[in-house]
Amino acid sequence: MLFDHRIEVKSPEQVRSMRAAGLVVGRTLARLREAVRPGVTTAELDALAEASIREQGGVPSFLGYGHPPFPASICASVNDEVVHGIPGPRVLEDGDIISIDCGAIVPDASGTGWHGDAAITVAVGPVPAEVERLMQVTEDALWQGLAAAQVGGRVGDISHAVESFVRAAGDYGIVDGYTGHGIGTEMHMDPDVPNEGRRGRGPRLRRGMALAVEPMITLGTHDSVVADDDWTVITADRSWAAHYEHTFALTDTGVWVLTAEDGGRERLVALGVPCGAED
């Protein structure tokens, strides 16, 4: 069902179908986290991701997406690469960080494909304290955004929570022009979910809406450029960046983080908000 002529609202059964896709993504990212180490190439991580998604009954949603068609199953963005990095022969080294974005489609009994989308940033061995702090701030900002979502609220409530947390944490850049998004029968749908904004603004949040929240934060400015491959987004000042993302749905009992193994229960309860997980 659509409301506002653009925004997809799912039935409880459809949300459970999205949970299946979310678990494929979350479990694949867990495998990739364990596989990150010095000497591994980003292409090897991509091959592992595709195998994991297909073994679980999914299809990589990134592969062939967009124009030009994206050539891989994950985005692998290293150090000053923010997002949309193309996996290849690059060898990970001690002291690197890598942001891995993963998406999968899983069909329901009717054959309708449902999407899950999530991202993590992983350190390759020890990294400087400021880089560890960047990763922690970005991940915590994601959870602040998720915790701000509630039926009857507005998309801007999520944006404001992300921005406020990052601004209070230090002098970080919130990457301009890249946002979270609606998700469901397509990977990218209305509404956009910016990482900056004001409370009470934007589309109203309704039960059955599914959104992906994804802060992209840098040690420098908010400016970025796109590389010659027409995909990889790099910080304009070459400062390092972190990226975290989860897909969630709004239920009658709270936020259900579809790409988290526990549905988001541990983090949301710690933040004092109800979790809508059904499993």
Side-chain angles (χ1 to χ4, degrees):
M1 180 177 69
L2 296 177
F3 84 97
D4 226 9
H5 305 292
R6 302 178 306 277
I7 298 173
E8 188 177 77
V9 177
K10 290 79 171 168
S11 69
E13 293 75 19
Q14 290 170 334
V15 169
R16 285 190 283 274
S17 294
M18 286 194 68
R19 173 60 164 167
L23 285 173
V24 169
V25 171
R27 290 167 180 169
T28 296
L29 285 172
R31 295 176 187 178
L32 293 173
R33 183 189 293 277
E34 293 299 317
V36 168
R37 62 183 183 276
V40 168
T41 68
T42 54
E44 288 171 331
L45 295 176
D46 180 64
L48 175 61
E50 181 171 0
S52 174
I53 291 168
R54 294 191 187 281
E55 286 167 6
Q56 296 179 77
V59 176
S61 50
F62 293 3
L63 187 61
Y65 180 85
H67 303 285
F70 193 77
S73 297
I74 59 169
C75 299
S77 308
V78 181
N79 299 339
D80 59 347
E81 298 170 352
V82 180
V83 70
H84 301 163
I86 297 175
R90 183 168 186 165
V91 178
L92 297 180
E93 300 178 356
D94 264 318
D96 286 340
I97 60 172
I98 178 170
S99 296
I100 305 171
D101 195 353
C102 180
I105 309 165
V106 175
D108 63 16
S110 73
T112 301
W114 296 96
H115 288 255
D117 189 8
I120 57 174
T121 301
V122 184
V124 187
V127 296
E130 67 171 359
V131 176
E132 286 188 359
R133 173 71 174 158
L134 168 71
M135 294 167 61
Q136 191 64 60
V137 166
T138 307
E139 184 175 15
D140 288 348
L142 165 62
W143 285 99
Q144 292 290 328
L146 295 169
Q150 59 180 332
V151 173
R154 299 277 185 174
V155 168
D157 302 345
I158 301 170
S159 305
H160 179 79
V162 171
E163 179 184 7
S164 297
F165 184 84
V166 174
R167 300 294 185 214
D171 188 19
Y172 296 102
I174 300 175
V175 178
D176 192 32
Y178 296 89
T179 72
H181 50 89
I183 184 170
T185 52
E186 300 175 23
M187 181 165 56
H188 294 117
M189 309 181 76
D190 288 335
D192 288 343
V193 185
N195 293 311
E196 300 172 279
R198 297 175 60 183
R199 288 194 190 98
R201 300 296 179 92
R204 190 167 297 281
L205 299 173
R206 295 183 54 177
R207 180 181 63 83
M209 283 178 63
L211 304 172
V213 181
E214 50 179 321
M216 288 158 271
I217 310 300
T218 81
L219 286 171
T221 73
H222 62 260
D223 295 317
S224 64
V225 296
V226 178
D228 290 343
D229 63 17
D230 291 327
W231 276 108
T232 308
V233 178
I234 304 169
T235 58
D237 59 6
R238 307 309 295 266
S239 61
W240 285 19
H243 174 208
Y244 288 84
E245 177 183 17
H246 270 305
T247 295
F248 79 91
L250 278 170
T251 75
D252 284 331
T253 54
V255 169
W256 188 5
V257 184
L258 303 175
T259 44
E261 187 75 32
D262 71 345
R265 186 175 289 106
E266 180 179 357
R267 291 295 300 262
L268 292 173
V269 169
L271 290 169
V273 298
C275 176
E278 295 184 9
D279 49 13

